[in-house]
Amino acid sequence: MSEDLRNPELNALEAALTGLKPTSGSLDREQLMFRAGQESMRRPQWLWPATTAVLAFAIVMLGGLLAMRPTQREIVYVRIETPVPPAPLPYEEPSEPEPAPLPQALARAPLVLKGDYARLRDELLSGKVSQAAAPSYFAPDPTSLDQLLGLPPEALDHIGRSRLNRAFSRTGEPL
Amino acid sequence: MGPDLFRRLLDEHVAALTLYARQWCAAPEDVVQEAFLKLVRQKLPPDNCVAWLYRVVRNGAISVARSAQRRRRHELDAAAQTPAWFVEHDDAALDADAATAALAELPLEQREVIVAHLWGGLTFEQIAEVAGCSSSTAHRWYLAGLSALRERLGVPCPKTSETRS
């Protein structure tokens, strides 16, 4: 450099020039402040177009995926076995016991009565002998032999009566 | 950018920026206004707002001057009729009109560096970044311009009262 800034002449010129205040011309400060405020609040122009483009792209993509979805669906049946609880037993009312069946011998064979009892019963049933005259076989006390035979009392002697008693007591059946 | 910072930049530098833009175009107010609006549109404020404004103003003023090349003669006439560059002040050491005329006669690069350094407050490194040159080149232009102004304006030396031609 040919000259130094510390040259007093140049420093004086600098001081003199710095003393001059430049004008702002026709620039309106208030108008510039107002427009600066408007510019600071202005939203970016690309916001809504970009949002519209993104949403349109998403709609197209979703529509394409929906159209390309396979129509036939594979249905797979899965058998699930679940334990079935046992059904509760139905309530059964206690029924009357059935009468014991008759022994087969008695069921098939008719009753056969033997001896005077059978004859007397038949006569009684046929009406030949009245019921009053028929001896009672159901008397708890054993009836006398004279009464069974229909003989007057004391008709049999002692010996005859004892023989007949032994015969009835042994077999339990009239001879 | 907060409104307080913007207001402070506007009050402190709008006049110097207007003077700076006058070096290229006849309507520096529009260029300066557009530069401040661009500053508001920035998502993040620049590191050095003043240097940023000088760069935007310079680019804008050059662009306006290039788009009006066919009207250059009319622009020169308009520049001669533009409002004064400086405020008239009785206590000023120099006459405003004389300083305006002397600055107008300087080469563009010298005038640019002088205006940016004296009234814009930029360093030679910042001026070099704005003008697209080296700081030494900017310094050289500055000294040459001052010397030319000193000869044209006849600023007396503070030590001696004699005026050097």
Side-chain angles (χ1 to χ4, degrees):
Chain A
M1 299 178 182
S2 58
E3 293 183 329
D4 194 354
L5 277 175
R6 288 176 290 183
N7 187 332
E9 295 180 354
L10 294 179
N11 292 338
L13 179 58
E14 284 180 349
L17 290 172
T18 306
L20 297 173
K21 302 298 181 185
T23 62
S24 60
S26 60
L27 194 145
D28 190 348
R29 179 182 178 278
E30 299 301 327
Q31 183 184 5
L32 180 56
M33 288 293 292
F34 178 75
R35 287 193 60 184
Q38 285 185 325
E39 290 290 334
S40 64
M41 296 300 296
R42 185 172 296 181
R43 295 179 180 177
Q45 299 294 330
W46 53 265
L47 180 60
W48 283 114
T51 304
T52 304
V54 169
L55 292 177
F57 177 77
I59 290 173
V60 170
M61 290 297 296
L62 292 175
L65 290 175
L66 184 63
M68 293 176 61
R69 187 180 64 178
T71 58
Q72 293 183 356
R73 297 183 181 180
E74 181 180 357
I75 301 175
V76 177
Y77 292 93
V78 178
R79 186 180 184 84
I80 300 175
E81 296 181 359
T82 57
V84 179
L89 297 176
Y91 178 74
E92 294 180 356
E93 293 184 359
S95 60
E96 295 181 357
E98 296 180 357
L102 293 173
Q104 291 182 357
L106 295 179
R108 279 185 271 110
L111 292 175
V112 179
L113 298 178
K114 298 179 177 179
D116 293 338
Y117 174 75
R119 184 180 55 80
L120 182 65
R121 190 199 63 150
D122 292 340
E123 291 177 355
L124 179 64
L125 291 176
S126 63
K128 293 177 180 183
V129 180
S130 63
Q131 186 174 4
S136 171
Y137 285 92
F138 302 98
D141 298 332
T143 56
S144 64
L145 187 60
D146 296 335
Q147 290 177 356
L148 284 175
L149 295 176
L151 296 177
E154 307 297 330
L156 293 176
D157 57 355
H158 179 68
I159 297 173
R161 190 179 296 111
S162 67
R163 289 181 180 177
L164 288 175
N165 285 336
R166 282 198 302 271
F168 272 102
S169 69
R170 188 173 38 244
T171 61
E173 293 179 358
L175 292 177
Chain B
M1 169 173 288
D4 296 335
L5 176 60
F6 182 82
R7 190 179 298 109
R8 184 168 59 86
L9 289 172
L10 185 62
D11 295 337
E12 295 178 1
H13 299 283
V14 65
L17 286 168
T18 304
L19 178 62
Y20 186 68
R22 288 184 193 280
Q23 317 310 314
W24 292 274
C25 62
E29 294 86 357
D30 298 336
V31 176
V32 172
Q33 182 172 347
E34 187 61 29
F36 275 98
L37 294 178
K38 285 184 179 179
L39 180 62
V40 174
R41 296 191 195 107
Q42 299 297 314
K43 294 182 178 179
L44 295 175
D47 296 335
N48 191 330
C49 294
V50 178
W52 187 90
L53 283 171
Y54 273 89
R55 182 166 58 248
V56 174
V57 166
R58 184 177 188 273
N59 296 336
I62 292 174
S63 177
V64 170
R66 287 176 179 174
S67 63
Q69 286 183 354
R70 289 188 297 178
R71 298 193 304 270
R72 182 180 297 273
R73 182 175 302 173
H74 297 286
E75 288 179 358
L76 291 175
D77 296 338
Q81 300 175 0
T82 54
W85 290 11
F86 302 102
V87 179
E88 294 288 342
H89 203 278
D90 296 336
D91 297 336
L94 293 174
D95 181 58
D97 296 335
T100 302
L103 281 170
E105 294 177 1
L106 290 177
L108 177 59
E109 58 274 9
Q110 295 179 6
R111 185 168 67 243
E112 174 186 355
V113 175
I114 290 173
V115 169
H117 182 67
L118 289 181
W119 288 282
L122 300 180
T123 62
F124 290 107
E125 288 77 16
Q126 292 174 339
I127 294 172
E129 184 178 353
V130 171
C133 61
S134 62
S135 60
S136 59
T137 302
H139 188 233
R140 185 172 68 251
W141 288 344
Y142 178 74
L143 293 177
L146 280 184
S147 299
L149 285 176
R150 183 175 63 83
E151 293 179 1
R152 291 184 175 91
L153 295 174
V155 175
C157 177
K159 290 185 177 181
T160 60
S161 60
E162 296 177 359
T163 302
R164 298 184 178 182
S165 60

